Amino acid sequence: MAKNGEALVNGAAARVGRYRWVICGLLFVATAINYIDRQMIGVLKPTIAGELHWNERDYADIVFYFQLAYAIGYLGFGKVVDALGARFGYAVAVVIWTIAHVAHGGVHSVTQFAMARFGLGIGESGNFPGGVKAVSEWFPARERALAVGIFNAGANVGAIITPLLVPFLVLHYGWRMAFIATGIFGVLWLIAWLALYRSPQDHPKVTPEELAYIQQDPADPVVVPKGLWAKLLVTRETWAYALGKFFIDPIWWFYLFWLPSYLGKQFHLDLLSFGPPIAAIYIISDAGSVVGGWMSGRMMQAGMSVNKARKLTMLICACFVLPVCFTTYIESLWVNVLVIGVAAAAHQAFSANLYTLPSDTFPRFAVGSVIGIGGTLGALGGMMFSLHAGDVLERLGTYAPLFLLAGGAYFLALLAIHVLSPRLERARID
């Protein structure tokens, strides 16, 4: 009987439909827009700082308020996405972040800029809880890491587009209009999302074969247990994911918000000339999301357990990050780009596997909440790192201590994951 069931699943996989990848494509585009809106402050830092007279601590404070809002919003949107579902929960997030992004074009002081960044952080915090929730609805366990890796690669595409597009907009229309013009992307995406997204069992484009393929894993309990959050907060698997985020998220924030100014200072680049090096870093990193998801999936197809496949992939990624510790001692711009690009790719591969841990270890009704808790802890780590970065740069004027932290964070994250969840077993929360 078991062999017949396995044959049915394998046969369905051979002729299954592909609409789930349309959904993955929408998530990819949303994440790209999310990162265009998020990264613009890093690209425009020299321009806006000159006009509004920021110092390094002012800039760090503005980044801090974005991350504070991100931490608050991540907790809220985890619950919103679980309550409303991916379709409407994600839509609410995009509406909030698009309005806040456009509002940047009207600010005139550090305080006003911090307020706009706070609103952006609230909205953008819904991107990954909504995206991972959608993946858990639309993909079987064996494809989730790949799907998360693909849509997470949108972050790199957004980071590639931003330093190439934004300088053009700024030079022709000014930095204020650049925020307004790029806000159009969010509006267009929202229309497409509401038109195309439904749950797989309710979607007319999903064939019975594809639905069977999507739902091949054992069914989750239908009834959500009372006091879910209280139970999640005392579950070790929750903290395995959350501490992983705490250690690695600040490093991605650092790349996103400080790389343009690092390259500008280290190699005397301006708004136009640092665009290609930044784009090259994220082009390299873009492969990381997909390769990381593919690698662990390939290991599982070869018979390796989920536990071993995820952790071995993350260990390999942590090793590829290490050379970034020596970045500030490398005199060549393009060798810098290569080393940082490989580290960013390894981050994305590590992150793609980390993002799948909640769906590996929790039932679907809890995934959004666990993602929210982890995102909040990651944002708290980012806030601490941002204040530290502002202090280091203002007092010492060197990025060396920051890159040293960036090189070791992934080993700490993997250690925390392994200690708290040595086998990546399903969490018991009911």
Side-chain angles (χ1 to χ4, degrees):
M1 186 70 177
K3 290 183 178 179
N4 290 338
E6 185 177 350
L8 284 172
V9 170
N10 291 335
R15 60 181 182 276
V16 74
R18 297 286 180 182
Y19 196 81
R20 64 193 183 283
W21 297 108
V22 174
I23 301 301
C24 189
L26 285 170
L27 299 176
F28 173 91
V29 174
T31 305
I33 296 169
N34 183 287
Y35 271 75
I36 290 172
D37 296 352
R38 187 180 306 192
Q39 197 200 12
M40 281 182 63
I41 187 175
V43 172
L44 294 177
K45 177 191 172 188
T47 302
I48 302 175
E51 182 175 324
L52 300 184
H53 309 292
W54 297 346
N55 59 31
E56 290 288 354
R57 287 197 177 98
D58 290 333
Y59 180 71
D61 287 342
I62 289 170
V63 173
F64 172 88
Y65 281 108
F66 171 85
Q67 292 168 325
L68 174 62
Y70 202 80
I72 296 169
Y74 232 124
L75 280 176
F77 268 109
K79 296 190 72 172
V80 167
V81 168
D82 279 339
L84 298 182
R87 184 175 185 239
F88 291 109
Y90 214 148
V92 170
V94 175
V95 168
I96 294 172
W97 100 49
T98 301
I99 292 172
H101 175 72
V102 172
H104 283 66
V107 301
H108 292 86
S109 68
V110 172
T111 301
Q112 291 174 350
F113 215 105
M115 292 171 63
R117 296 301 292 179
F118 189 91
L120 185 70
I122 292 289
E124 290 205 340
S125 65
N127 185 71
F128 284 101
V132 175
K133 180 77 168 183
V135 166
S136 73
E137 291 180 358
W138 274 89
F139 290 85
R142 68 175 69 183
E143 288 185 343
R144 284 178 196 155
L146 178 59
V148 170
I150 290 172
F151 95 68
N152 193 36
N156 304 301
V157 171
I160 292 165
I161 292 172
T162 306
L164 300 178
L165 173 64
V166 170
F168 171 83
L169 293 174
V170 172
L171 290 174
H172 288 82
Y173 307 106
W175 65 266
R176 296 182 185 278
M177 186 56 66
F179 281 106
I180 296 171
T182 50
I184 296 172
F185 299 150
V187 176
L188 296 176
W189 181 90
L190 184 63
I191 294 170
W193 176 255
L194 293 175
L196 297 176
Y197 191 93
R198 302 287 187 278
S199 296
Q201 60 269 27
D202 300 325
H203 208 295
K205 297 287 188 181
V206 176
T207 65
E209 292 81 9
E210 184 171 17
L211 185 60
Y213 184 72
I214 291 169
Q215 297 178 342
Q216 65 182 269
D217 301 313
D220 290 331
V222 175
V223 179
V224 178
K226 293 182 179 179
L228 175 61
W229 270 62
K231 293 178 180 179
L232 292 177
L233 289 174
V234 295
T235 301
R236 296 201 312 169
E237 288 78 10
T238 300
W239 291 101
Y241 173 73
L243 283 176
K245 295 286 287 179
F246 176 82
F247 285 116
I248 75 164
D249 277 13
I251 311 308
W252 189 252
W253 297 117
F254 170 58
Y255 294 153
L256 199 67
F257 295 135
W258 270 278
L259 272 185
S261 58
Y262 162 71
L263 293 177
K265 178 180 179 180
Q266 192 85 347
F267 299 103
H268 310 292
L269 307 179
D270 58 19
L271 183 63
L272 286 178
S273 57
F274 70 56
I278 292 290
I281 287 170
Y282 289 109
I283 288 171
I284 296 170
S285 73
D286 205 25
S289 291
V290 179
V291 171
W294 171 85
M295 184 184 297
S296 60
R298 184 71 174 174
M299 290 177 181
M300 284 187 280
Q301 288 177 7
M304 196 175 288
S305 67
V306 172
N307 179 54
K308 188 172 182 180
R310 299 276 191 245
K311 290 176 181 175
L312 180 57
T313 300
M314 288 191 279
L315 177 60
I316 293 169
C317 294
C319 293
F320 273 96
V321 173
L322 269 179
V324 85
C325 294
F326 309 103
T327 299
T328 55
Y329 304 103
I330 299 172
E331 296 182 356
S332 166
L333 168 62
W334 289 102
V335 175
N336 260 263
V337 166
L338 178 61
V339 171
I340 297 172
V342 169
H347 168 95
Q348 291 293 64
F350 191 106
S351 184
N353 284 275
L354 181 60
Y355 268 121
T356 64
L357 297 190
S359 58
D360 287 336
T361 55
F362 287 91
R364 289 186 182 91
F365 63 72
V367 167
S369 296
V370 175
I371 293 290
I373 293 168
T376 296
L377 212 64
L380 290 173
M383 290 157 58
M384 295 167 60
F385 194 98
S386 293
L387 294 179
H388 177 65
D391 190 52
V392 166
L393 294 174
E394 190 68 24
R395 289 190 301 108
L396 304 180
T398 175
Y399 287 81
L402 305 178
F403 279 110
L404 187 63
L405 288 174
Y410 300 85
F411 292 100
L412 294 174
L414 183 55
L415 178 62
I417 292 166
H418 185 65
V419 168
L420 289 167
S421 188
R423 297 181 181 85
L424 291 185
E425 295 172 329
R426 296 291 287 182
R428 297 186 179 187
I429 58 172
D430 51 16

